[in-house]
Amino acid sequence: MKDIPEQRVIEILKKNRIDIAATLPCDRIKALLPLIEKEFTTIPLTREENGLGICAGLYLGGKRPIMVIQSTGIGNMINALGSLNLTYGIPLPVLASWRGVYNEQIEAQRSLGERLPAILDAAGIRYTITGYKDELDNIDTAIKDSFDNARPHVVLMSPAIWEGSCCDNPVPQEITPRTTHFEFSSEIRKPEMTRYEAIKTLASCADDDIIVSNLGVPSKELYGIKDRELNFYMTGSMGLVSSIGLGLALSQSRHVYVIDGDGSILMNPNVLASIGSYKPGNLTIIAVDNAACGSTGNQETCTSRQIDLELLARANGIIDTRKVHTCEELRNSLQERATFIHTIVKPVNAKCKEIPFTAKKIKGRFMKALK
Ligand SMILES: Cc1ncc(C[n+]2csc(CCOP(=O)(O)OP(=O)(O)O)c2C)c(N)n1
């Protein structure tokens, strides 16, 4: 067993009580991935940054997640590794198949791969290089470092580790034959309420429930309306608020309300596919659509004339959607605990104070309140 590197990795993950793996494939770890899928709950990703947000939510909700990806995916995660994991003190062990350096045939892999250690150094993100299979115990040390010190830790796993491994390749799965009938009609009317009024409506409905609020003005508005320990205020990692909410919904039983925004959803529409695939009954996304990046000066987004966010949610397999224009309609949809509430609001920001807490304080009191 010990001689098969893929099996050794599984043993290390089990020993460290890893319970969920978020994965995005690399050819070099194609024998490892099916073993992970067999042994652990696995969340297949369409973009690594989304997985980082889901893992953050899973951790906040009491799980011990890991990411298994290609090293290029670190490039897609760098902002969030800093503004979410490092800033809030959220662990994330990342097993990254390190491309671009060892026996690399694909030129496009080299530019990021060769510079990755320097990039991680500069970003203040811990990493460990595992060059050969007799160095696999590095993974054990890295996972412990990540959870013990509440920080991300990347393991750069050389393709040399898996050379000569006798693990089987997965059997490819064909597309499921099916027919799709899609009927949708919706009306977006002139906005009647403000985001502040929408958040106030939510705050009056959420008793022992979790609220995860989007970065920028929405978090400040929520703080001003009703601060509570079960509010998780985001201050960075744009696009990941619903990802964090999904991770929280999958890891514990309280209801999770997410205040998202049109600009942020359009930055990470990948999360809609993840929500459509898991459909947790304890998750409600309030997609606050002011047709603008409100927090940065109300610059127009393409929900203004082009994209209907409710339709986008439906196209991603989220069935239980609503569109609301008034506080009363929002209240009803919240009480029905719909999965996705497209909430049409005016592009107006309330005047509000800064949140006086550090990110680590927001995380600490939130996790304590969840226990
Ligand atoms: C990666 C990244 N790009 C840009 C920003 C700047 N930024 C902060 S909030 C925000 C707009 C968010 O818009 P939306 O999700 O529609 O929410 P709203 O503020 O309108 O409620 C932007 C562009 C950022 N924080 N991170």
Side-chain angles (χ1 to χ4, degrees):
M1 271 301 212
K2 266 205 150 163
D3 288 344
I4 301 175
E6 286 86 353
Q7 290 289 2
R8 178 70 192 126
V9 173
I10 299 294
E11 280 169 23
I12 292 169
L13 301 190
K14 283 187 177 168
K15 187 177 144 206
N16 281 280
R17 294 176 288 113
I18 295 299
D19 41 22
I20 298 193
T23 64
L24 211 155
C26 171
D27 168 75
R28 302 298 189 273
I29 51 169
K30 60 176 178 279
L32 173 65
L33 290 168
L35 294 185
I36 288 184
E37 207 172 315
K38 202 167 133 219
E39 298 288 346
F40 306 96
T41 303
T42 305
I43 300 184
L45 302 169
T46 53
R47 187 173 168 91
E48 293 82 357
E49 201 183 17
N50 176 35
L52 180 155
I54 295 171
C55 286
L58 290 167
Y59 169 75
L60 293 170
K63 298 284 183 192
R64 286 171 68 85
I66 195 163
M67 286 186 76
V68 185
I69 60 173
Q70 183 176 97
S71 58
T72 43
I74 305 285
N76 297 342
M77 290 161 60
I78 211 94
N79 167 47
L81 280 169
S83 64
L84 184 60
N85 295 87
L86 284 182
T87 307
Y88 285 79
I90 295 180
L92 181 63
V94 181
L95 304 192
S97 170
W98 190 16
R99 299 297 301 271
V101 176
Y102 178 83
N103 256 353
E104 184 61 67
Q105 301 304 313
I106 300 174
E107 193 185 357
Q109 291 282 2
R110 292 193 196 124
S111 80
L112 184 77
E114 287 167 357
R115 294 170 178 85
L116 207 42
I119 291 170
L120 291 169
D121 264 334
I125 295 159
R126 300 255 156 178
Y127 66 91
T128 300
I129 293 172
T130 302
Y132 301 97
K133 64 178 173 182
D134 59 5
E135 294 172 0
L136 282 172
D137 283 347
N138 284 349
I139 294 178
D140 184 56
T141 314
I143 295 173
K144 288 194 169 63
D145 173 69
S146 179
F147 284 104
D148 291 351
N149 297 301
R151 61 188 174 198
H153 196 131
V154 175
V155 183
L156 296 173
M157 304 185 300
S158 169
I161 297 169
W162 324 108
E163 274 179 350
S165 161
C166 56
C167 267
D168 289 339
N169 283 342
V171 182
Q173 191 175 332
E174 287 180 359
I175 195 163
T176 306
R178 60 195 188 273
T179 51
T180 304
H181 300 284
F182 198 72
E183 270 180 39
F184 180 81
S185 64
S186 84
E187 188 191 10
I188 297 179
R189 299 194 304 273
K190 199 171 159 44
E192 295 178 39
M193 62 180 153
T194 60
R195 178 181 52 220
Y196 187 84
E197 287 163 346
I199 295 178
K200 207 168 171 187
T201 304
L202 167 63
S204 70
C205 294
D207 298 327
D208 289 336
D209 306 317
I210 290 168
I211 303 180
V212 191
S213 60
N214 204 10
L215 81 171
V217 178
S219 272
K220 293 181 204 170
E221 289 185 345
L222 175 64
Y223 171 75
I225 290 164
K226 192 175 183 183
D227 179 43
R228 45 206 277 288
E229 294 182 341
L230 285 172
N231 291 353
F232 189 83
Y233 303 111
M234 273 185 60
T235 52
S237 53
M238 181 171 167
L240 297 191
V241 68
S242 288
S243 315
I244 296 172
L246 174 61
L248 274 163
L250 292 174
S251 55
Q252 52 78 58
S253 57
R254 277 178 209 259
H255 199 82
V256 181
Y257 291 109
V258 174
I259 304 168
D260 211 332
D262 47 301
S264 301
I265 289 174
L266 294 174
M267 184 173 276
N268 178 29
N270 305 280
V271 70
L272 299 177
S274 303
I275 294 169
S277 135
Y278 290 96
K279 299 184 184 66
N282 60 338
L283 177 66
T284 298
I285 309 294
I286 298 113
V288 181
D289 189 354
N290 51 10
C293 285
S295 298
T296 47
N298 283 320
Q299 299 85 355
E300 186 179 342
T301 70
C302 51
T303 66
S304 163
R305 321 157 211 274
Q306 182 191 342
I307 293 180
D308 181 322
L309 290 179
E310 188 188 6
L311 177 57
L312 192 62
R314 289 274 191 100
N316 278 279
I318 303 173
I319 312 298
D320 188 18
T321 67
R322 308 277 190 283
K323 195 175 310 298
V324 301
H325 292 78
T326 64
C327 292
E328 198 190 337
E329 287 170 357
L330 175 58
R331 189 172 298 109
N332 291 339
S333 300
L334 290 169
Q335 276 159 3
E336 288 163 8
R337 302 206 148 168
T339 310
F340 188 93
I341 309 176
H342 187 193
T343 306
I344 308 296
V345 303
K346 298 175 190 170
V348 175
N349 296 323
K351 279 206 166 41
C352 40
K353 290 186 280 198
E354 294 296 324
I355 299 170
F357 312 128
T358 62
K360 290 199 170 81
K361 163 103 184 175
I362 293 167
K363 180 202 86 170
R365 64 179 207 153
F366 178 82
M367 288 187 78
K368 206 167 151 209
L370 259 192
K371 276 191 182 146

